[in-house]
């Protein structure tokens, strides 16, 4: 098994962490990277609200057209993430991030001029490429910047930019559409993405100097695949929850159907801020396994407890699991990647994210259509259970190999 490039005392290994030193985390590049991600994902959040109402409004299409536009984005992002990871390893993190942010800004600005569904879909294809480039390179840059002894903490804090951007972006989009129109909303998204590009320019190149390591430059980071399967199980469960949380709330007669999602989001943010150091104090795979099993428990509660309280409690438990799952599993993945392979590892891991969040709702939607949302939640809980067990198996293998 490949070990991390550094073998300093107190650095992360695949079997855990021995905290000896407290390396500095909040450097200027680390903070600027987080701000760039906040700007970029705020632009994405504006589009999340604006796109469907734009397509069903001025463009004159329907819900199926809106779904097509969203789907085109996800498909391109999935296909191009490994390519973006290879470029980040061979060309550098900064140029790939800047290219992604600039491409996003251009596509957002041009969407305001698109008068047909085909035109919007074409621009969404560009946005899929932009998101693949920016996100993959940004994660690789984060791993470059963060001390290995605080990797889990870095992942916890850094993810807040994504969550806050996707949370604040839709209300901003709604405000702009209602008060100033679609053109202003799309232009605001373009400005935010352009701001992300400008911030990235101020970070500098983070890729370690020298040629890529032996085995670097691959499209797929093979050492990440075993942990990636556990991550896939968590994202399938997550995607099912996102897709059906509001519908399940309505089904159990919860007056405010967005409350489960709000509860989930509040728990994730609170836990990642308040317990950011936990992923560095607990071996990542056992922590990831416990987190995925907690997600399974949350889905099981939501499925079995057909009452408003069940929807809210289940969402809270789900949020607790998600809060730890991604930092822990990403830490386990990057512990298997050398400095010259971080782009490939990021691309591979984020491809699993696309597969789970994209494919999970589709498959679970078929279950919901035939057997109901509770059954779909039950299947999602089963997938998470298998993923948690698999993570425990990997952890046991690592302990045996140590």
């Amino acid at each position: 098994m490949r070990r991390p490039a550094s073998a300093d005392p107190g650095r992360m290994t695949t079997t855990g962490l021995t905290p000896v030193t407290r390396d500095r985390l909040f450097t200027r590049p680390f903070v600027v990277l987080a701000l760039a991600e906040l700007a970029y994902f705020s632009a994405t959040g504006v589009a999340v609200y604006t796109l469907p109402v734009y397509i069903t409004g001025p463009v004159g299409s329907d819900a199926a057209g809106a779904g097509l536009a969203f789907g085109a984005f996800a498909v391109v992002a999935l296909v191009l993430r490994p390519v973006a990871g290879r470029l980040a390893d061979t060309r550098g993190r900064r140029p790939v991030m800047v290219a992604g942010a600039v491409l996003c800004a251009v596509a957002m600005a041009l969407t305001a001029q698109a008068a047909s569904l085909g035109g919007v879909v074409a621009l969404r294809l560009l946005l899929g490429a932009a998101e693949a480039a920016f996100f993959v390179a940004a994660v690789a840059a984060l791993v470059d910047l963060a001390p290995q002894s605080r990797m889990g903490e870095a992942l916890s804090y850094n993810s807040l930019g994504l969550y806050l951007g996707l949370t604040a972006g839709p209300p901003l989009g709604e405000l702009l559409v209602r008060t100033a129109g679609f053109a202003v909303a799309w232009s605001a998204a373009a400005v935010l993405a352009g701001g992300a590009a400008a911030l990235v320019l101020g970070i500098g190149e983070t890729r370690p100097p020298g040629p890529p390591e032996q085995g670097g430059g691959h499209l797929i980071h093979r050492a990440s695949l075993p942990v990636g399967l556990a991550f896939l199980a968590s994202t399938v469960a997550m995607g099912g929850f996102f897709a059906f949380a509001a519908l399940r709330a309505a089904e159990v007669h919860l007056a405010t159907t967005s409350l489960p999602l709000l509860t989930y989001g509040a728990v994730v943010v609170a836990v990642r801020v308040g317990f950011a150091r936990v992923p560095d104090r607990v071996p990542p795979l056992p922590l990831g396994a416990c987190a995925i099993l907690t997600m399974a428990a949350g889905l099981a509660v939501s499925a079995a407890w057909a009452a408003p309280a069940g929807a809210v409690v289940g969402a809270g438990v789900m949020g607790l699991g998600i809060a730890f799952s991604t930092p822990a599993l990403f830490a386990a993945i990057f512990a298997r990647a050398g400095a010259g392979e971080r782009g490939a590892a990021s691309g591979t891991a984020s491809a699993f994210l696309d597969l789970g969040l994209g494919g999970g709702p589709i498959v679970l939607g078929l279950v919901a259509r035939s057997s109901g949302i509770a059954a779909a939640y039950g299947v999602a809980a089963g997938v998470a259970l298998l993923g948690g067990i698999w993570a425990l198996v990997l952890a046991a293998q690592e302990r045996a190999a140590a």
Side-chain angles (χ1 to χ4, degrees):
M1 184 187 308
R2 190 175 190 90
R3 295 289 184 180
S6 173
D8 294 343
R11 308 288 268 188
M12 181 184 300
T13 69
T14 56
T15 56
L17 177 71
T18 302
V20 176
T21 61
R22 290 288 297 167
D23 297 318
R24 185 182 177 194
L25 175 60
F26 291 101
T27 61
R28 179 184 176 278
F30 180 88
V31 173
V32 173
L33 176 63
L35 293 175
E37 290 178 311
L38 175 60
Y40 185 92
F41 288 108
S42 293
T44 301
V46 170
V48 166
Y49 171 82
T50 307
L51 180 67
V53 293
Y54 185 65
I55 287 180
T56 57
V59 173
S61 186
D62 55 14
L68 175 62
F70 271 107
F73 169 92
V75 169
V76 172
L78 170 64
V79 171
L80 293 184
R81 285 191 196 276
V83 177
R86 181 175 184 177
L87 290 174
D89 283 335
T90 57
R91 302 296 182 183
R93 324 304 194 205
R94 184 170 71 168
V96 177
M97 276 192 287
V98 170
V102 169
L103 185 59
C104 176
V106 171
M108 292 287 193
L110 291 178
T111 303
Q113 310 301 320
S116 67
L117 177 61
V120 175
V121 169
L123 292 170
R124 292 290 293 177
L125 294 175
L126 290 179
L127 281 167
E131 201 275 339
F134 184 87
F135 183 80
V136 168
V139 173
L142 168 67
V143 179
D144 294 336
L145 293 170
Q148 291 294 320
S149 61
R150 302 180 70 178
M151 186 61 64
E153 184 181 1
L155 288 163
S156 294
Y157 285 130
N158 180 265
S159 67
L160 294 178
L162 185 151
Y163 276 92
L164 292 174
L166 293 179
T167 299
L172 175 60
E174 182 178 12
L175 175 65
L176 293 174
V177 167
R178 290 186 175 182
T179 59
F182 287 103
V184 172
W186 289 120
S187 296
V191 169
L192 287 166
L199 286 166
V200 168
L201 288 173
I203 296 173
E205 180 54 58
T206 66
R207 187 186 65 167
E213 296 181 3
Q214 183 179 2
H218 290 169
L219 288 177
I220 303 298
H221 186 249
R222 295 182 180 178
S224 300
L225 295 178
V227 182
L229 292 176
F231 185 52
L232 175 62
S234 74
T235 58
V236 168
M238 195 187 314
F241 171 75
F242 289 159
F244 304 116
L247 296 177
R248 179 59 172 169
E251 193 173 76
V252 299
H253 307 294
L254 181 61
T256 305
T257 56
S258 63
L259 185 57
L261 287 169
L262 178 62
T263 301
Y264 144 82
V267 170
V268 169
V269 171
V271 170
R272 287 195 177 171
V273 172
F275 299 90
R277 296 179 182 177
V278 169
D280 294 320
R281 296 176 175 176
V282 179
L285 277 174
L287 178 60
C290 292
I292 303 174
L293 294 174
T294 301
M295 294 169 63
L299 287 165
V301 168
S302 295
W305 190 357
V312 176
V313 172
V317 176
M318 183 76 178
L320 179 62
I322 291 174
F324 288 114
S325 64
T326 301
L329 294 173
F330 265 53
I333 286 171
F334 284 108
R336 296 169 175 237
E341 302 173 310
R342 290 167 182 165
S346 174
T348 302
S350 55
F352 281 116
L353 181 67
D354 283 328
L355 282 172
L357 294 181
I362 294 174
V363 175
L364 295 172
L366 297 176
V367 177
R369 175 185 292 176
S370 62
S371 304
I373 295 174
Y377 270 11
V379 171
V383 171
L385 177 62
L386 292 175
I389 293 172
W390 174 242
L392 289 174
V393 170
L394 293 177
Q397 290 176 348
E398 287 195 346
R399 285 195 300 271

